[in-house]
């Protein structure tokens, strides 16, 4: 398995992995997201490749000063592994690569949000070291 | 990722800005719209960026294992001349691409596409600035009689037609070229920068990682608009067609292949520790990568035409249509994109001046080949000076009036404009500068 930075050539496979995970084909969404993360820092977004095929990706971003959280934080924003390749520690390898890069760039804490229905992802994140936090996620509908 | 930012001495900095005013007037729009198109990104900085923490040991070549060189005087004269040629060629490409982009930038149909290209241009300006830092911050007197001022002046005086590499001497015909150029020619840039990361001359090696990070966006600024265009083309949008995109690929891919140098060359770069791949190896990887771009665009197109297809089915169908030259459900192989044969329309390297078609077919008759080119290349380009000279030279080669080797040396053959500034202020060196400030990046 090769872990390498995200590139524009990964768009097709990332869109396909997401389609397999969610059942929806959203190329425009991924075009916008991928170019954003490439612009920000492609090395913070490693992809996993097996025999030339992208089988997983993680999108992360380094930010500071948001929500009153002054410390430089690495935000884990999306993680996807092709269902045909799950169970091979691909998510963990991707996470470790991203974590190492973010730490090298000055992140002192990693943060993310997980939906209540996403037990599998929450379990994975706890397994790699995330813990619950006193921060609350709030939202309101405006339309 | 730790980067030191350096500003050029004032006279050089001002010379670059003076050049920008003439050749890149849209530069001023970038800060104005930065937050709209690149929210949260650090502001653009016209400065040299040097990666900190790169190894001190030479990785390849005759001096492998020895300490990386930090001054031109530590190189042999042959090494120094060779590296100076690489730096000057690199600088020429950076300024050259801005001149090409600027001519058709305003023709973008979408503002987002336009501002992406505008950022690409600004970063190319920074890359040229970076090369000037390498030329002016050290004494190259041991390998050239030209002073730093003259080297800078010479590069800034180049125009489309007088640049070092052919790809930068070809005018754009439309905004399709801005985007295809970013996807095809900037990709060569990525390869060159990646190869040069091992360079035995440390300041050059240190210049590469920050440039590579920016180059990654340049490639995306080519591929993402292309993906959107092929979708629109599939939906019947008349203003950007698969045929227009195909013709632009046919125009640029041969020039991209030639940027790697002759297929049999590259030994010196390895021997001197400047790059880690020979020309043919890098060119091969590049061509394979372009095939992936084309396959991705075809799949995007096919899924827009036949939405019920699963991703794997679409990929397989694209491969089958192109292999069998067949049709399926109203989609013909001719509707899809194909990377031209690597020998097509070449004027440098092993296949130079052979008459090979886009699909690898051979031609014996110049007139028939020219008609094939006319069917394969963008219409406005057929009427360009570059094309006319190509056809004239090809006729000379085929008739035996010149050899392919002589013809290779003949291009680019537009005349150098020379070092006079368009505003007639030919004296650019106006202020004695202090030493460059070197500060850690924020």
């Amino acid at each position: 398995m090769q872990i390498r930075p995200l590139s524009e050539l990964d768009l097709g496979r990332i869109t396909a992995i997401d389609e397999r995970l969610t059942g929806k084909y959203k190329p425009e969404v991924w075009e916008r997201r991928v170019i954003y993360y490439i612009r920000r820092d492609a090395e913070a977004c490693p992809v996993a490749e097996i025999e030339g095929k992208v089988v997983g990706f993680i999108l992360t971003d380094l930010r500071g000063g948001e929500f009153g959280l002054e410390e430089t934080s690495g935000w884990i924003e999306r993680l996807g592994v092709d269902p045909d390749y799950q169970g091979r520690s691909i998510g963990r390898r991707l996470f470790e690569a991203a974590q190492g890069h973010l730490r090298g760039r000055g992140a002192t804490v990693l943060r993310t949000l997980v939906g209540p229905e996403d037990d599998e992802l929450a379990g994975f994140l706890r397994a790699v070291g995330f813990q619950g936090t006193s921060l609350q996620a709030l939202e309101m509908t405006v339309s | 990722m730790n980067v030191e930012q350096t500003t050029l001495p004032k006279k050089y900095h001002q010379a670059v800005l003076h050049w920008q005013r003439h050749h890149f007037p849209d530069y001023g729009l970038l800060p104005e719209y930065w937050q709209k198109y690149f929210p949260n990104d650090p502001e653009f900085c016209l400065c040299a960026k040097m990666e900190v923490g790169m190894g001190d040991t030479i990785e390849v070549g005759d001096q492998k294992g020895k300490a990386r060189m930090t001054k031109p005087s530590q190189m042999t004269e042959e090494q120094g001349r060779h590296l100076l040629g690489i730096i000057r060629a690199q600088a020429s490409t950076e300024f050259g691409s801005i001149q090409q982009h600027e001519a058709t930038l305003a023709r973008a149909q979408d503002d987002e596409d336009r501002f992406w290209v505008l950022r690409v241009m600004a970063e190319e300006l920074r890359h040229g600035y970076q090369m000037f830092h390498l030329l002016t911050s050290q004494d190259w007197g041991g390998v050239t009689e030209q002073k730093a001022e003259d080297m800078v002046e010479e590069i800034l005086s180049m125009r489309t037609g007088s640049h070092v590499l052919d790809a930068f001497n070809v005018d754009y015909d439309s905004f399709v070229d801005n985007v295809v150029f970013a996807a095809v020619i900037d990709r060569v840039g990525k390869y060159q920068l990646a190869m040069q990361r091992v360079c035995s001359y440390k300041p050059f090696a240190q210049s590469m990682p920050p440039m590579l990070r920016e180059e990654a966006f340049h490639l995306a600024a080519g591929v993402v608009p292309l993906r959107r265009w092929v979708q629109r083309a599939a939906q019947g949008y008349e203003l950007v067609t698969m045929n227009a995109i195909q013709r632009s690929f046919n125009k640029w891919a041969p020039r991209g292949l030639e940027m790697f140098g002759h297929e049999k060359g590259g030994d010196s770069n390895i021997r001197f520790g400047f790059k880690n791949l020979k020309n043919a190896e890098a060119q091969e990887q590049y061509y394979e990568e372009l095939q992936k771009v084309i396959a991705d665009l075809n799949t995007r197109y096919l899924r827009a035409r036949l939405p019920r297809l699963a991703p794997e089915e679409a990929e397989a169908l694209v491969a089958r249509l192109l292999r069998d030259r067949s049709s399926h459900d109203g989609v013909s192989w001719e509707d899809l994109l194909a990377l031209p044969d690597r020998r097509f329309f070449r004027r440098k390297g092993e296949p130079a001046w052979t008459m090979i078609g886009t699909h690898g077919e051979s031609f014996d008759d110049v007139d028939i080949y020219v008609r094939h080119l006319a069917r394969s290349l963008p219409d406005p380009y057929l009427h360009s000076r570059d094309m006319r000279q190509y056809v004239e030279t090809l006729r000379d080669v085929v008739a035996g009036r010149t050899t392919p080797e002589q013809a290779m040396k003949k291009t680019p053959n537009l005349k150098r404009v020379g070092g006079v500034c368009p505003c007639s202020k030919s004296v650019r060196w106006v202020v004695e500068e202090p030493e460059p400030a070197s500060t850690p990046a924020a």
Side-chain angles (χ1 to χ4, degrees):
Chain A
M1 184 193 319
Q2 189 197 354
I3 304 287
R4 59 161 177 77
L6 174 71
S7 94
E8 83 293 347
L9 293 172
D10 303 325
L11 261 165
R13 279 296 300 156
I14 288 175
T15 306
I17 290 169
D18 174 66
E19 188 177 356
R20 291 209 61 193
L21 294 170
T22 65
K24 290 178 186 164
Y25 177 52
K26 299 173 285 190
E28 298 89 351
V29 168
W30 287 104
E31 281 157 3
R32 188 161 292 281
R33 278 177 189 273
V34 165
I35 199 165
Y36 172 83
Y37 286 102
I38 286 175
R39 219 173 66 208
R40 298 282 295 167
D41 181 4
E43 290 161 276
C45 305
V47 300
E49 206 175 67
I50 293 178
E51 293 172 354
K53 182 178 183 180
V54 171
V55 296
F57 64 93
I58 186 167
L59 303 181
T60 79
D61 195 16
L62 191 74
R63 297 196 295 266
E66 290 174 325
F67 315 115
L69 305 166
E70 290 305 321
E71 69 271 41
T72 306
S73 309
W75 287 86
I76 311 295
E77 299 188 335
R78 291 302 290 259
L79 170 69
V81 176
D82 187 325
D84 289 345
Y85 292 83
Q86 288 178 1
R88 301 194 198 183
S89 299
I90 292 169
R92 180 177 283 271
R93 292 275 305 273
L94 288 167
F95 172 76
E96 286 169 355
Q99 181 190 26
H101 181 76
L102 293 167
R103 191 192 296 124
R105 287 199 60 201
T108 54
V109 59
L110 302 184
R111 294 193 160 93
T112 192
L113 292 169
V114 183
E117 75 291 349
D118 212 340
D119 293 338
E120 201 177 343
L121 180 60
F124 167 78
L125 291 167
R126 286 185 192 281
V128 297
F130 279 83
Q131 296 173 346
T133 169
S134 56
L135 291 170
Q136 290 184 56
L138 302 175
E139 68 177 23
M140 67 179 283
T141 304
V142 293
S143 63
Chain B
M1 180 161 102
N2 190 3
V3 173
E4 265 187 7
Q5 295 185 181
T6 307
T7 309
L8 285 175
K10 196 171 180 182
K11 66 176 180 179
Y12 298 121
H13 187 89
Q14 288 185 333
V16 173
L17 288 177
H18 190 109
W19 182 94
Q20 168 267 312
R21 283 196 288 277
H22 287 296
H23 298 280
F24 186 12
D26 288 319
Y27 180 64
L29 289 172
L30 199 58
E32 204 177 319
Y33 289 91
W34 186 266
Q35 277 308 315
K36 179 175 180 185
Y37 293 101
F38 313 111
N40 305 323
D41 286 8
E43 284 181 15
F44 174 75
C45 166
L46 184 60
C47 57
K49 297 179 182 176
M50 309 296 278
E51 187 86 349
V52 177
M54 293 189 75
D56 288 324
T57 308
I58 296 175
E59 297 175 41
V60 295
D62 293 347
Q63 296 159 289
K64 185 177 176 181
K66 293 185 179 168
R68 264 185 165 141
M69 295 168 282
T70 54
K71 294 180 188 315
S73 59
Q74 294 167 325
M75 287 183 256
T76 64
E77 190 176 341
E78 191 190 5
Q79 241 180 334
R81 279 186 197 282
H82 197 88
L83 183 61
L84 191 60
I86 292 175
I87 296 172
R88 287 158 78 163
Q90 179 91 44
S92 160
T93 66
E94 309 296 357
F95 291 103
S97 70
I98 297 168
Q99 290 166 326
Q100 291 167 298
H101 276 303
E102 181 68 40
T104 47
L105 182 66
R107 297 192 213 165
Q109 291 177 4
D110 297 319
D111 280 344
E112 186 175 61
D113 292 350
R114 184 159 72 101
F115 276 91
W116 284 356
V117 170
L118 196 60
R119 176 168 173 167
V120 168
M121 294 165 70
E123 289 174 348
E124 301 295 11
L125 187 71
R126 196 198 76 68
H127 296 179
Y129 190 98
Q130 180 92 27
M131 292 302 109
F132 282 177
H133 171 64
L134 296 176
L135 292 176
T136 61
S137 61
Q138 296 284 347
D139 180 10
W140 292 88
V143 294
T144 178
E145 291 177 2
Q146 221 178 5
K147 292 178 184 166
E149 286 94 333
D150 296 332
M151 289 194 277
V152 169
E153 178 83 38
E154 184 185 47
I155 291 160
L156 292 181
S157 73
M158 291 177 181
R159 304 284 183 271
T160 309
S162 64
H163 282 285
V164 177
L165 298 174
D166 288 356
F168 301 86
N169 290 325
V170 178
D171 287 314
Y172 290 3
D173 303 312
S174 70
F175 192 73
V176 177
D177 278 343
N178 293 70
V179 166
V180 173
F181 188 95
V184 174
I185 301 298
D186 280 38
R187 193 169 303 280
V188 184
K190 180 187 83 168
Y191 272 87
Q192 298 293 356
L193 300 176
M195 288 190 284
Q196 289 160 186
R197 208 164 28 185
V198 305
C199 188
S200 55
Y201 181 61
K202 193 171 180 182
F204 195 52
Q206 287 178 295
S207 299
M208 297 302 125
M211 290 169 74
L212 266 168
R213 286 182 202 113
E214 289 162 351
E215 206 70 28
F217 169 68
H218 302 183
L219 300 184
V223 167
V224 171
L226 279 170
R227 285 173 60 95
R228 293 169 174 173
W229 288 353
V230 299
Q231 184 194 24
R232 287 185 214 165
Q235 292 164 341
Y237 184 68
E238 296 87 353
L239 297 180
V240 178
T241 63
M242 292 295 269
N243 185 259
I245 295 168
Q246 177 68 66
R247 286 175 184 245
S248 189
F249 267 95
N250 292 344
K251 175 180 173 182
W252 295 109
R255 303 290 79 78
L257 289 164
E258 288 168 354
M259 285 172 68
F260 288 91
H262 196 286
E263 283 83 349
K264 287 185 176 159
D267 289 345
S268 303
N269 287 324
I270 305 269
R271 200 156 43 83
F272 294 148
F274 295 158
K275 299 184 186 182
N276 59 356
L277 291 175
K278 289 186 185 179
N279 296 350
E281 292 170 312
Q283 193 198 57
E284 177 68 26
Q285 289 180 20
Y286 167 75
Y287 192 74
E288 282 175 15
E289 201 168 291
L290 279 183
Q291 284 175 317
K292 286 183 188 168
V293 173
I294 294 285
D296 176 55
L297 294 173
N298 281 334
T299 305
R300 184 85 167 84
Y301 173 82
L302 199 62
R303 293 205 68 191
R305 287 283 301 268
L306 307 173
R308 68 181 181 284
L309 290 179
E312 295 78 12
E313 291 172 332
E315 280 174 32
L317 182 56
V318 164
R320 183 161 64 77
L321 290 177
L322 289 171
R323 186 187 63 232
D324 302 342
R325 297 193 173 187
S326 57
S327 300
H328 177 89
D329 224 352
V331 182
S332 160
W333 70 279
E334 290 173 306
D335 296 332
L336 302 176
L337 302 173
L339 191 61
D341 188 278
R342 68 184 77 199
R343 298 164 298 168
F344 169 71
F345 191 39
R346 291 285 299 275
R347 54 184 84 169
K348 295 270 171 66
E350 272 188 322
W353 307 105
T354 55
M355 294 190 287
I356 303 294
T358 50
H359 297 294
E361 65 275 38
S362 292
F363 291 81
D364 298 323
D365 185 291
V366 178
D367 291 322
I368 296 173
Y369 187 59
V370 170
R371 282 201 287 278
H372 173 75
L373 294 178
R375 286 193 301 275
S376 308
L377 295 166
D379 279 338
Y381 179 53
L382 301 177
H383 308 290
S384 68
R385 188 163 49 168
D386 180 71
M387 193 64 197
R388 193 195 72 214
Q389 290 187 331
Y390 168 80
V391 172
E392 283 173 5
T393 308
L394 180 66
R395 289 187 192 283
D396 286 344
V397 171
V398 172
R401 290 188 291 271
T402 188
T403 66
E405 291 72 26
Q406 288 167 331
M408 271 190 256
K409 286 177 187 158
K410 204 174 155 191
T411 54
N413 48 11
L414 307 184
K415 285 190 177 166
R416 174 158 292 171
V417 175
V420 179
C421 175
C423 70
S424 298
K425 291 177 183 168
S426 59
V427 180
R428 292 178 184 178
W429 319 110
V430 287
V431 182
E432 284 301 315
E433 80 294 344
E435 285 298 305
S438 187
T439 52

